[in-house]
Amino acid sequence: MEPPRTPFALLTTGLLLALTPSCRHMATGYRYDPPEKGEPMKGSSAVKISSSAARGTLLGIARHPVTTAVVGAAVLWQRPRELVTANVPGIRKYHFAPEEAPGTDRFEALLDKKDLPQPIGGKITWLVDGHRFYPELEREIAKARQTIDVQAYIFDNDDAAVRVADQLKRRSAEAQVRVIFDDLGSSSAAVTKPETPFPPGFEPPSNMSRYLRDGSAVKVRSMLNPWLVCDHTKLHVFDGRVALMGCMNIGREYRSEWHDLMFRVEGSAVGELQRDYDRTWKRAAPFGLPGLGGDAKKPYPVPVAGEVPIRILRTDPAVWRYEIQKAMLLGIRAARKRIWIEDPYIANDDITEALEDAVKRGVDVRVIFPGRNDSKLMDVANRAFANKLVEAGGKAYAYPGMTHLKAMICDDWACVGSANLDTLSMRINRELNISFRAKAPLRELITKVFEPDFARSKPHVPAKEPGGAVMEAVADQL
């Protein structure tokens, strides 16, 4: 069937999407953040999603009526807002570049003025790809003496995830172990096969929550999905002293198949990350209550050598926090010399239009996207944006394979974490990022991620994408 091409048809499509749920696999027929392999959802996955949607919304209303109502109102506002600003002529306005260049004291003062969270000291260590992150995760699980707190959007049921689960179960005899995962993300991942075959004889558990609990003292809670809004956070905290956070979920794709990024945080900032985890744990409880018996007391984090000022940023519509998009847009609009981005899903119009404006100002704008995306829809949307960027004078690169990391550098300031450059991450789903301007971690991000990825990626050559305009309009809602 020929896709709709008229403005009226596009508007109708967008309005329908504005009323659809908020995770990409519902709106497109493909999974959101789990590996999609470009294949349509199986019937069992559709059943899982429908069940999760109904359960999440009904239980959300019963347990947290105010929060669920606020999230529902946010979804109903953000979807039409994105549709109107993206597709109605005359709505878009050019935003003049602020005088405060990213990386300067004046830019930090601007972030303060915009009510973004205050900087707090933290030491950052980059963990590029699964072969660096997973050994670090396993070491910290083994070293923890009091508390092990794990949160991922996806806690899969494949062999890589079971290996982590088994270690958590063993350690639960000696330390308090808590696990949070997104109900929709994990249940849909569990019914999709990985790209490579399982080891001989491996049988995935049918229910990871039950598997983690069986024969152990692991405490497990899942984040419900009222209105199909997801918690896309990746955060692991050990003894209240060390945190691992970033872009990776728990599963085989992230351990060995995709290009990805996590980072270790030590020092004063871990206290705030621990408090963030504790708030999420309480939110995931029935009726928002933490439960009887209390939680283990964590040591208070102490400053460490090598700390730099970092800001901990959230997208959280339940409490009207849109700090990640606010900070990113300020960085893009204020940039003078460079904007370097690597992200798998680039579809938020506020972001893409600000990038096009930056190119016209003479900024060195470069974007890396997956050469082989896990979503066919987002692949078309990425390439449609890459066409515009290159035609405007910017540069776009296709990474050889799937890159799932999300990082941005504007001049001498960076923002990294779980958030994609799409409307879900900017305005609807729950996300966790950090921003910083310190020279040492910034230089390491350039040398360990951007320089090698520019070198191994293929420059994008503009080409007409079949159905690109329609696909891009649909992707704007995701």
Side-chain angles (χ1 to χ4, degrees):
M1 180 178 179
E2 182 71 13
R5 296 183 183 276
T6 67
F8 176 77
L10 281 173
L11 186 62
T12 303
T13 301
L15 285 170
L16 290 172
L17 281 167
L19 301 175
T20 61
S22 303
C23 286
R24 184 176 299 126
H25 45 333
M26 279 298 292
T28 66
Y30 292 88
R31 295 170 49 187
Y32 170 34
D33 194 56
E36 300 173 11
K37 294 127 191 117
E39 295 179 359
M41 280 192 307
K42 305 299 182 184
S44 58
S45 186
V47 170
K48 288 271 188 181
I49 290 168
S50 300
S51 173
S52 182
R55 182 175 68 254
T57 303
L58 293 175
L59 287 178
I61 292 171
R63 294 178 179 180
H64 316 287
V66 175
T67 298
T68 303
V70 170
V71 171
V75 171
L76 288 175
W77 163 246
Q78 297 299 343
R79 290 236 180 271
R81 172 186 177 275
E82 179 71 11
L83 175 69
V84 170
T85 58
N87 295 296
V88 176
I91 294 294
R92 181 179 181 258
K93 296 180 180 179
Y94 179 84
H95 293 269
F96 293 95
E99 296 180 356
E100 301 88 348
T104 65
D105 290 341
R106 294 184 66 195
F107 184 75
E108 293 300 313
L110 176 63
L111 297 179
D112 292 338
K113 184 179 179 181
K114 297 296 184 179
D115 296 323
L116 290 169
Q118 290 292 305
I120 185 170
K123 180 182 178 181
I124 304 170
T125 304
W126 301 112
L127 304 169
V128 182
D129 290 329
H131 71 276
R132 296 188 185 278
F133 164 62
Y134 275 88
E136 186 76 10
L137 173 65
E138 291 168 1
R139 278 192 295 269
E140 291 301 334
I141 293 173
K143 285 167 54 179
R145 292 294 171 260
Q146 292 178 272
T147 59
I148 300 169
D149 291 330
V150 171
Q151 182 183 2
Y153 170 59
I154 294 170
F155 201 122
D156 213 331
N157 65 342
D158 58 27
D159 53 312
V162 166
R163 175 173 168 171
V164 174
D166 287 344
Q167 187 183 13
L168 292 172
K169 293 171 71 170
R170 290 192 298 269
R171 289 306 325 280
S172 70
E174 305 159 320
Q176 176 186 277
V177 179
R178 301 186 295 181
V179 176
I180 307 171
F181 52 75
D182 187 84
D183 182 62
L184 186 54
S186 295
S187 61
S188 60
V191 295
T192 301
K193 295 180 180 179
E195 293 182 2
T196 53
F198 288 135
F202 175 78
E203 289 292 334
S206 60
N207 185 304
M208 182 51 74
S209 178
R210 186 183 305 122
Y211 182 83
L212 282 161
R213 290 188 178 100
D214 283 349
S216 79
V218 175
K219 300 177 182 179
V220 185
R221 289 178 181 172
S222 59
M223 293 296 288
L224 297 176
N225 306 102
W227 320 112
L228 280 180
V229 172
C230 300
D231 192 326
H232 200 236
T233 304
K234 292 87 173 172
L235 173 65
H236 319 299
V237 189
F238 307 93
D239 286 341
R241 292 189 179 275
V242 173
L244 304 178
M245 58 183 294
C247 318
M248 292 191 210
N249 293 298
I250 306 297
R252 179 191 285 218
E253 289 82 6
Y254 313 95
R255 185 172 191 120
S256 59
E257 296 176 356
W258 290 359
H259 183 40
D260 219 328
L261 179 68
M262 292 287 279
F263 48 96
R264 175 188 175 102
V265 179
E266 301 169 78
S268 307
V270 180
E272 180 54 39
L273 292 169
Q274 181 68 69
R275 285 187 286 273
D276 187 283
Y277 186 98
D278 291 342
R279 287 191 291 267
T280 303
W281 180 258
K282 182 177 180 179
R283 184 186 289 193
F287 303 101
L289 300 176
L292 301 176
D295 296 320
K297 186 176 180 180
K298 293 92 174 172
Y300 191 80
V302 296
V304 298
E307 282 193 6
V308 300
I310 65 175
R311 296 179 192 261
I312 299 170
L313 307 175
R314 270 282 184 197
T315 302
D316 191 346
V319 290
W320 220 251
R321 291 177 68 179
Y322 302 104
E323 299 153 358
I324 298 173
Q325 185 182 39
K326 184 187 292 186
M328 285 184 166
L329 282 174
L330 286 170
I332 293 170
R333 289 170 179 164
R336 296 293 188 274
K337 56 183 180 180
R338 69 178 169 199
I339 301 171
W340 293 355
I341 292 172
E342 187 161 351
D343 198 281
Y345 315 119
I346 308 170
N348 177 262
D349 280 316
D350 289 334
I351 296 291
T352 58
E353 291 172 357
L355 291 171
E356 292 174 40
D357 291 342
V359 172
K360 297 172 185 176
R361 294 197 310 270
V363 180
D364 173 20
V365 178
R366 308 184 199 179
V367 172
I368 302 172
F369 62 90
R372 185 174 60 84
N373 205 306
D374 65 327
S375 165
K376 287 184 177 179
L377 170 61
M378 296 310 297
D379 182 58
V380 173
N382 285 347
R383 293 176 187 277
F385 165 64
N387 287 346
K388 294 180 182 178
L389 185 67
V390 173
E391 289 166 357
K395 298 177 181 178
Y397 301 85
Y399 184 85
M402 177 61 186
T403 174
H404 186 254
L405 68 84
K406 308 100 169 40
M408 171 187 290
I409 295 175
C410 299
D411 288 357
D412 298 315
W413 174 88
C415 189
V416 296
S418 69
N420 296 302
L421 296 181
D422 57 19
T423 298
L424 285 176
S425 288
M426 296 292 103
R427 309 296 299 180
I428 294 174
N429 284 344
R430 201 159 181 260
E431 304 283 359
L432 181 64
N433 273 37
I434 66 166
S435 72
F436 63 92
R437 60 164 175 161
K439 291 182 179 179
L442 184 69
R443 184 59 196 166
E444 288 184 354
L445 183 61
I446 291 171
T447 58
K448 292 183 177 182
V449 173
F450 281 98
E451 288 180 346
D453 288 358
F454 285 140
R456 65 171 59 106
S457 299
K458 183 179 179 180
H460 176 74
V461 177
K464 185 176 180 180
E465 297 293 330
V470 174
M471 290 289 201
E472 191 175 11
V474 173
D476 288 345
Q477 290 292 307
L478 302 178

